[in-house]
Amino acid sequence: MALLKIFRLNTQACLRDDLVKASNHKYTVSRSIFCSSHESSREHKVLHQSLATVVNNTRWNKLRNDISRTHTRSFVTSTVLFRKKVSRVKIPEKSADDNLSEDEILNDPQFESLRNQSRLQALATGVGGQVGVMVLQPWVKWGPQKRTDTSGQLMLQEAVALVSTLPLVSVVTQEVVSLQSLGKRMVFGSGTLERLVNEARANKSISCIFISLDIMKRSQIEELEAAFGMRIMDRYSVVLSIFHQHARTKEARLQVALAELPYIKKRVTYERDKLMVAEREKRLKAALTKLAGIRAHVRANRAKSSLPTIAVVGYTNAGKTSLIRAITQDSRAEGRNQLFATLDVTAHGCRLPCGVEVAFIDTVGFIQDIPTDLVASFKATLEDAIFSDVVVHVRDVSHPDYELQGATVSSTLGSLPLPSGTPVITAANKMDLGITRSPEQLADAYVVSATREEGIEDLLMAIQNEVLKVTGRKLWKFTLSTGSDQIQWLRGATGLVQEEIDEANPQITHVVAVLTDQELAAFTKNFEVKGKK
């Protein structure tokens, strides 16, 4: 047993020698596995007998050989290089969608079949020639669903203007259809439906029926199409068609593509189609997120350069773009007498009367009776209103639904995380077309005509006052040497409100400048000049 113990110690020493050799080659043993054969009692006896014999008759080397033949121990080692442990940030695997361009996402051939089922593009591009439309405005005349904020006739006029915005579309007939409620499976009563079907089929110029409800169920549309034998459209599909027609930039096209998904989603039944819609939604949102990052960078640059922004919002066709053109004299701001003429956000720069440079941001218009999903798709566009310094709410003062349109815009703005301190200025536009409200009702508004450029000066001064308050700028008066470096510095920093050479002493110039506290501190530090508010 003593010799067996000596052997075990020797075996451990051999293992240590092997480890030392491995470390000399800059390797280390990471794992050692020792495998021992099971020893029977007979083997133990043989072992002890061999040990006793070897002690008396042989040298130590033969002893080790005999022991290795009767009791074998083997080990296997795996070697790894010693390295310093490095903390690594896990990088998510790059999706195949990341390599898709915006054009590839938009022009997905696999998705075209689903879009064609909803036929959103056909009416938008006037495929098949002129499209004659019967416009029907459902109107509940009594009960809890009756509206009191507008009239059926005004709603019909808006519906006609909406569908007439599409190219190659002409309104053949229009009617306000009285209902008891909006909950009927076929929308209209059986007698009314029969009359409308007969009128539509008798008129060969009618090929499409526009029922002015926000969004109809798939089953309703299918049953009504079977009854009329024509295509049925609701407000959602008409607005989407207009959006498709007016979207110019990739961002606008991506937003329109996202806006149509809730409409298409309600009309697919197969699980494969639902998965296709979900995958497209994921891709579109990812693409818009990238563009939102660019937009945020642009806003950050404006903020860094202390460039105030004024977001111009309003009901569709209230004259937002025309007003921006009247203020900035930017020919790129081209107003059109169309609903949703502006889908692409554009910025137009100008100087306020005080000399401060600002940017006016044109935004997409709002409209009543469309699902919130449609507005939510243009989140990126509306962010410019959220992050602006001042908001100008343009309203059509000539429209009979002046109050309702204003309430629609205010409600939409209220749903946005607009800071409570953001000033909102109301511009009652289109005074040249007539004023539908009393002076008392317009007491808080600036009445203007963008096309005639009337009332613009007062509106601009109101905008200037709010910009100065929000941005912390103040008017400062200085008396400086004519042609001095101080005057040149002020001109370069903010522009000057006023420069007037003193009549009694031409060597002196009276200057009025707009400065932030930081700009004033820099000016006084450089020139040691004090001004007066």
Side-chain angles (χ1 to χ4, degrees):
M1 291 300 291
L3 290 176
L4 181 60
K5 184 176 182 181
I6 292 171
F7 170 69
R8 286 175 176 170
L9 292 172
N10 189 54
T11 302
Q12 293 174 359
C14 292
L15 176 58
R16 285 198 301 271
D17 290 341
D18 289 337
L19 292 174
V20 170
K21 290 178 182 179
S23 65
N24 289 336
H25 290 84
K26 296 184 180 179
Y27 287 85
T28 183
V29 177
S30 65
R31 182 178 58 197
S32 296
I33 305 172
F34 292 90
C35 303
S36 300
S37 62
H38 295 284
E39 303 170 356
S40 64
S41 59
R42 182 173 176 275
E43 289 173 330
H44 277 290
K45 292 178 181 179
V46 173
L47 175 61
H48 288 300
Q49 290 172 0
S50 298
L51 288 172
T53 303
V54 170
V55 168
N56 295 319
N57 302 310
T58 66
R59 294 180 302 174
W60 170 249
N61 287 338
K62 190 172 186 306
L63 170 64
R64 188 169 58 181
N65 292 336
D66 290 341
I67 292 174
S68 64
R69 283 196 297 270
T70 59
H71 183 80
T72 302
R73 286 180 181 271
S74 61
F75 65 89
V76 179
T77 64
S78 62
T79 59
V80 294
L81 183 65
F82 264 127
R83 291 177 181 171
K84 184 178 180 180
K85 187 175 180 181
V86 179
S87 177
R88 297 181 181 273
V89 178
K90 187 176 181 181
I91 301 174
E93 294 184 4
K94 194 171 184 179
S95 170
D97 295 340
D98 294 338
N99 297 322
L100 294 176
S101 67
E102 288 88 351
D103 287 331
E104 289 174 319
I105 295 173
L106 288 167
N107 304 318
D108 183 358
Q110 294 183 347
F111 194 77
E112 285 301 314
S113 60
L114 293 183
R115 180 186 283 119
N116 291 335
Q117 288 177 23
S118 62
R119 291 168 295 176
L120 294 173
Q121 290 280 45
L123 195 59
T125 55
V127 173
Q130 193 75 23
V131 178
V133 179
M134 169 186 275
V135 180
L136 302 176
Q137 178 61 60
W139 182 254
V140 178
K141 295 192 68 174
W142 53 82
Q145 291 184 316
K146 176 179 171 58
R147 294 185 60 170
T148 58
D149 55 353
T150 186
S151 67
Q153 194 60 38
L154 289 175
M155 290 288 293
L156 177 63
Q157 290 175 10
E158 182 174 274
V160 170
L162 198 62
V163 75
S164 298
T165 303
L166 294 168
L168 301 178
V169 169
S170 61
V171 175
V172 180
T173 61
Q174 52 185 285
E175 180 180 343
V176 176
V177 183
S178 299
L179 305 175
Q180 292 183 350
S181 72
L182 296 173
K184 295 196 175 191
R185 182 170 57 87
M186 298 282 281
V187 182
F188 310 106
S190 57
T192 301
L193 179 61
E194 182 180 2
R195 175 181 64 81
L196 294 172
V197 167
N198 291 335
E199 290 179 6
R201 289 183 174 180
N203 193 326
K204 301 300 181 183
S205 300
I206 299 176
S207 58
C208 178
I209 311 297
F210 172 32
I211 301 176
S212 185
L213 293 174
D214 56 355
I215 184 167
M216 298 170 63
K217 296 179 181 177
R218 174 178 177 171
S219 57
Q220 286 180 309
I221 290 179
E222 288 178 346
E223 292 188 40
L224 287 168
E225 285 184 340
F228 280 93
M230 302 175 189
R231 180 180 177 185
I232 303 294
M233 297 189 73
D234 53 20
R235 286 175 73 92
Y236 201 133
S237 60
V238 170
V239 170
L240 279 176
S241 297
I242 297 171
F243 283 1
H244 274 291
Q245 184 66 25
H246 292 171
R248 296 287 184 269
T249 65
K250 285 182 180 178
E251 184 175 26
R253 290 166 60 203
L254 287 168
Q255 289 178 125
V256 173
L258 184 63
E260 72 184 10
L261 293 185
Y263 190 85
I264 295 175
K265 192 183 298 183
K266 293 178 183 294
R267 284 153 178 76
V268 297
T269 54
Y270 298 109
E271 191 63 28
R272 174 182 173 275
D273 294 341
K274 292 179 180 178
L275 291 174
M276 192 182 299
V277 172
E279 182 63 25
R280 182 170 176 82
E281 182 177 12
K282 175 184 173 183
R283 291 177 178 178
L284 289 170
K285 286 183 175 179
L288 283 169
T289 298
K290 290 181 181 178
L291 294 177
I294 297 173
R295 189 180 288 283
H297 181 68
V298 171
R299 284 195 297 267
N301 286 340
R302 288 176 188 155
K304 192 179 296 184
S305 62
S306 300
L307 181 67
T309 57
I310 298 101
V312 182
V313 304
Y315 206 80
T316 181
N317 205 31
K320 299 181 296 297
T321 307
S322 297
L323 182 61
I324 290 175
R325 179 166 183 159
I327 292 174
T328 65
Q329 298 299 308
D330 188 346
S331 60
R332 295 181 300 116
E334 184 179 356
R336 287 175 287 170
N337 187 25
Q338 289 181 334
L339 302 185
F340 298 110
T342 300
L343 290 184
D344 303 307
V345 177
T346 54
H348 307 271
C350 76
R351 282 187 181 272
L352 295 175
C354 66
V356 175
E357 288 187 356
V358 296
F360 284 85
I361 311 297
D362 203 355
T363 62
V364 64
F366 304 132
I367 195 170
Q368 62 179 318
D369 285 351
I370 58 172
T372 54
D373 290 335
L374 199 54
V375 177
S377 301
F378 286 83
K379 177 185 176 183
T381 300
L382 299 176
E383 281 181 350
D384 286 291
I386 297 171
F387 294 108
S388 63
D389 296 293
V390 178
V391 173
V392 176
H393 178 187
V394 183
R395 302 174 64 176
D396 183 356
V397 74
S398 69
H399 201 284
D401 258 348
Y402 177 84
E403 298 296 340
L404 174 62
Q405 291 184 356
T408 299
V409 174
S410 297
S411 175
T412 305
L413 288 177
S415 66
L416 302 175
L418 190 70
S420 57
T422 302
V424 179
I425 300 171
T426 300
N429 190 29
K430 300 188 179 182
M431 60 179 288
D432 53 300
L433 299 180
I435 299 176
T436 60
R437 294 295 181 270
S438 66
E440 291 76 17
Q441 293 173 309
L442 300 174
D444 296 329
Y446 292 86
V447 182
V448 300
S449 170
T451 56
R452 293 183 181 178
E453 298 188 7
E454 297 176 0
I456 301 299
E457 184 176 345
D458 291 341
L459 173 62
L460 201 52
M461 291 302 297
I463 294 172
Q464 174 178 287
N465 292 337
E466 294 298 343
V467 167
L468 295 179
K469 289 179 186 177
V470 171
T471 60
R473 289 176 166 89
K474 300 180 182 68
L475 287 169
W476 294 91
K477 296 178 182 180
F478 300 94
T479 300
L480 305 170
S481 298
T482 303
S484 64
D485 291 341
Q486 292 97 321
I487 294 177
Q488 295 297 328
W489 191 95
L490 290 172
R491 286 174 181 165
T494 60
L496 297 178
V497 180
Q498 181 181 344
E499 288 183 69
E500 184 178 347
I501 297 177
D502 193 297
E503 293 182 359
N505 184 3
Q507 300 300 318
I508 293 176
T509 299
H510 302 286
V511 173
V512 178
V514 176
L515 300 172
T516 62
D517 291 340
Q518 293 83 356
E519 289 170 338
L520 178 64
F523 179 69
T524 55
K525 181 179 180 180
N526 288 335
F527 302 106
E528 297 183 356
V529 177
K530 294 183 179 181
K532 298 179 180 180
K533 290 186 181 179

